[in-house]
Structure formats: C-alpha cells, structure tokens
Amino acid sequence: MAGSGAAARQLAAERGLFVHALSHGTTSTPTTIAVPPALSLPVIEAAFPRQLHPYWPRLQETTRAWLLEKRLMPADKVEEYADGLCYTDLMAGYYIGAPDQVLQAIADYSAWFFVWDDRHDRDIVHGRPAAWQRLKERLHTALDSPGDHLGHEDPVVAGLADSVRRLYAFMPGRWNARFARHFHAVIEAYDREFRNRTEGVVPTVEEYLELRRLTFAHWIWTDLLEPSAGSELPDAVRKNPAYRKAALLSQEFAAWYNDLCSLPKEIAGHEVHNFGISLITHEGLTLEEAIIEVKRRVEECITEFLDAEQDALRFADGLDDGTVGGKETSAAVRACVGNMRNWFSSVYWFHHESGRYRVDSWDDRSTPPYVNNEAAGEK
C-alpha cells in the first residue's frame, strides 16, 4: 500500500500506463508484481489474459470523488489509500463492455460494499451489536426504497441508497426485485457472520461454503453481468445448468482465492470466517495443509470452469434461433460468460495489487490503516 498521497498517485499513474497499454491490445501483466509462490496460479497468468475497461482512469477518479461526497471515507484516508486499494480496478477488469454509466454505478456500489464490510468488521471488533442491528435494519429498508434514503444521516445507508437507485434505473422491475431479494439475503448472511464472530463459532466446512456464497454476494455480482450486457436474461436462461454452473464457478474461485489471500489478515484479526480456518478447526489440518487444500480447490474451480465455459457458450449458440430476440439473447449470454472469464484474472491481480491484503505493511496487523475507527463512533 502506498505510504503517502504522493506515492499513491505515483502507483496510480503507473497502473494508468498499464491500462493504456491494455486498451491497445496488450495482455501482459505488470512486471513489478511478484506473486508469492503459495498464491501463484500460473494457469491464470497464462490462460486468462487480463483486460481493463477503457473507462477505468475516469472511473477511478469519479469513484474517489463519490467516496468523499458520500462521506464514506474521510478525506485523508481517500487521499492516502483509495487508489492503492484498487477497488475500481477490480470492477473495471470484470464488467468489460459495460456502458460507462453502468460501470460507474457498479464501481461505486462495489466501493460501498468494501466500506460496509469494514464497518461490519469494526462493529464486531469493538463489540457494538446494537449499532450493527440498527444498521442492518436500515440497509434492508433502504434497499427497498432507495429514493427515500438518499439523505440519510448514516453515510453507509445513504451510500447504499444512492448506488442501488442508480443501478435500478438501468433495468426493469423484475431485475430490480431479484437484485433486492439477493441482497437482502446477503445482509442476513452478514448478520449470521456477526453472531458467529461475536460468539467465537467457526462454521463447519459445509456450513461455511454455503454461507460464503452469500457473504461474498455470488448472485449479486452475477446479476450485474446483465446491465453490463444491456439485457435482462429470462429465468430459463439464467437457471440453465450450463449458464449457472459457469457463473457459480467464477464466484467460488473468487471467494476461495480471497480466503487464501486474506488468511493472514483474518487470523491476525481473530476471524472465524475463512475457508482455511474452518479446515483447521474442523478437519484438523495444520495452517500449511489448509493453505494447500484451499489452493487445490481454487485450482479445481479453474479447471472445471474451462469445461463449463464451453458448455455455456454452446448453450448461447443454441439460443440464436434466427429471430431478432434469439440473436440478442445469444449475444447477451456470450457477453456474460466472457465476463465470467474476466473475473478470474481481475480477482487474481486485485489481490496482489490492492493494499487491502498487505498485512505485513500495517502498524497493527488486526487494524487496517484505511479504516477510520473514530468516524465509526470509537475513541
């Protein structure tokens, strides 16, 4: 992570040059990033060429301004850390082909999600169950009526309202209702995680994997493929086994690779929610064995996705029945599947570029330097 605003801007400038190169067709990755052997996935580096949306430089600038405007991060934290956290890079590497306004709304929502995740963590660490319950209920309400909460006194509530209202504007009511339903489930999953962490309960492996699909918001990021492709997919298409399997594998990879990379951070923070921690606690694995096992499952996701991707693309081809509607649906599915593939490289490089996982550089390994405890009501 950059240690000062000037350093952060320098890193951003260097990444900007990289993005510029990518926009001209280059698929190389930054040579300055050394991936630790335990986290290295050569198949990603070789078979999943990285792309970034050409809007990325503007996206980064606008999301940084939005975080300030919505008071989601203090000005000094935005100046020193926002660019180095690479939140916009993650989304710009995923939703390729999205209209600029759609990508901007997704990136702001994603940045909000990280801020909300940090708030949830601080409420647990500092023993504030009442504050968390209050926030949880407000988020449920704001999700259903975002227009009524744009000026809410809590920046996290107002930020959700603003980003969701913008996302809803791109899609019809059925999609909005589905997105809301999926995110209501995510909020409740965060509540279960709050209780588990507060009570020191480590979920079993199967319990954890089921809960992780919600806390990582698998179906939210999959839903957002549709506005990026400019088309709401019919239920029969979304629920087709070929499409759904490819979507699930792309998200499982991301969640489990995140667990692999964040394991040191979460052990330092006395976490109980991590694939590796469940393996250590319930399967009797050592730390080293847990790292190997999580990495093995991550690599399995990649292998299985390569097969599922071909099935999903064949399914897309079959949707083109010669009608205008069939051709459009086929193209939309191909765009969504293409971005499922992009998720692999975007997630992979994000974890090695973002300051969010550089625990060894923090003064306190259990307290991220980009969070502001005082702003959350702590002294």
Side-chain angles (χ1 to χ4, degrees):
M1 183 179 299
S4 68
R9 285 191 294 274
Q10 177 62 31
L11 286 172
E14 290 170 359
R15 283 204 306 277
L17 292 174
F18 171 53
V19 173
H20 182 72
L22 284 171
S23 70
H24 287 78
T26 299
T27 57
S28 13
T29 53
T31 56
T32 54
I33 297 171
V35 179
L39 305 177
S40 175
L41 297 172
V43 65
I44 295 293
E45 299 179 29
F48 290 78
R50 189 182 188 185
Q51 301 185 67
L52 285 175
H53 198 291
Y55 180 65
W56 173 79
R58 180 71 184 275
L59 182 74
Q60 183 187 53
E61 176 184 329
T62 305
T63 294
R64 192 191 314 124
W66 184 78
L67 287 168
L68 278 172
E69 177 195 345
K70 298 302 175 185
R71 298 177 295 117
L72 287 163
M73 289 178 70
D76 61 330
K77 300 290 186 184
V78 170
E79 169 70 14
E80 187 164 0
Y81 297 112
D83 290 352
L85 289 169
C86 302
Y87 295 160
T88 54
D89 305 44
L90 179 63
M91 295 297 111
Y94 184 16
Y95 297 103
I96 305 297
D100 292 354
Q101 282 189 316
V102 171
L103 183 61
Q104 186 65 67
I106 291 173
D108 290 350
Y109 169 75
S110 172
W112 171 87
F113 202 116
F114 280 111
V115 171
W116 173 52
D117 185 73
D118 292 334
R119 169 84 163 266
H120 174 260
D121 177 70
R122 295 295 94 188
D123 279 349
I124 294 167
V125 169
H126 294 280
R128 297 196 298 258
W132 163 250
Q133 287 299 317
R134 186 164 55 248
L135 176 61
K136 182 190 81 163
E137 295 308 319
R138 288 172 171 176
L139 293 178
H140 277 307
T141 305
L143 184 60
D144 288 333
S145 55
D148 297 335
H149 294 78
L150 298 174
H152 197 281
E153 62 183 13
D154 187 330
V156 173
V157 177
L160 175 67
D162 180 75
S163 58
V164 166
R165 178 185 60 87
R166 288 153 58 203
L167 290 171
Y168 285 173
F170 299 122
M171 298 297 281
R174 286 187 309 268
W175 185 93
N176 295 346
R178 187 206 324 154
F179 181 94
R181 184 173 68 253
H182 286 160
F183 197 65
H184 280 305
V186 170
I187 295 169
E188 286 303 308
Y190 263 67
D191 188 49
R192 291 201 295 279
E193 179 177 340
F194 190 103
R195 293 197 302 273
N196 283 344
R197 288 182 61 188
T198 300
E199 297 168 9
V201 175
V202 178
T204 66
V205 171
E206 289 309 312
E207 288 170 343
Y208 175 75
L209 294 180
E210 182 180 352
L211 187 58
R212 186 64 166 137
R213 289 176 187 137
L214 294 170
T215 58
F216 197 82
H218 281 22
W219 302 117
I220 289 292
W221 308 119
T222 302
D223 287 339
L224 289 169
L225 292 168
E226 294 169 61
S228 299
S231 179
E232 178 191 17
L233 297 179
D235 283 354
V237 171
R238 288 189 306 103
K239 294 179 180 178
N240 177 274
Y243 182 87
R244 194 168 177 86
K245 184 175 182 181
L248 179 61
L249 285 167
S250 74
Q251 293 299 320
E252 298 279 55
F253 163 81
W256 299 350
Y257 193 67
N258 174 269
D259 280 4
L260 188 63
C261 294
S262 61
L263 188 54
K265 166 178 175 275
E266 294 181 343
I267 288 176
H270 305 291
E271 260 277 20
V272 297
H273 269 241
N274 184 290
F275 196 173
I277 293 171
S278 285
L279 287 167
I280 292 166
T281 304
H282 295 287
E283 305 293 330
L285 273 60
T286 64
L287 174 60
E288 293 75 12
E289 290 169 341
I291 290 170
I292 291 169
E293 176 61 12
V294 175
K295 187 176 183 183
R296 184 189 69 78
R297 297 222 196 178
V298 164
E299 290 170 336
E300 273 188 358
C301 274
I302 302 169
T303 303
E304 291 181 20
F305 174 80
L306 291 170
D307 290 335
E309 177 187 36
Q310 294 307 308
D311 291 341
L313 290 173
R314 282 191 288 271
F315 169 62
D317 289 343
L319 293 169
D320 187 352
D321 57 4
T323 66
V324 172
K327 186 171 186 137
E328 289 177 349
T329 302
S330 174
V333 170
R334 290 190 72 88
C336 291
V337 174
N339 279 336
M340 291 173 197
R341 161 175 275 272
N342 288 332
W343 192 222
F344 284 81
S345 59
S346 191
V347 164
Y348 181 74
W349 291 112
F350 168 71
H351 282 86
H352 303 297
E353 293 174 355
S354 174
R356 194 172 176 88
Y357 305 100
R358 296 183 189 168
V359 180
D360 290 337
S361 69
W362 301 355
D363 292 337
D364 177 353
R365 289 170 61 87
S366 66
T367 304
Y370 47 83
V371 300
N372 189 329
N373 287 338
E374 196 171 313
E378 300 159 24
K379 300 297 181 184

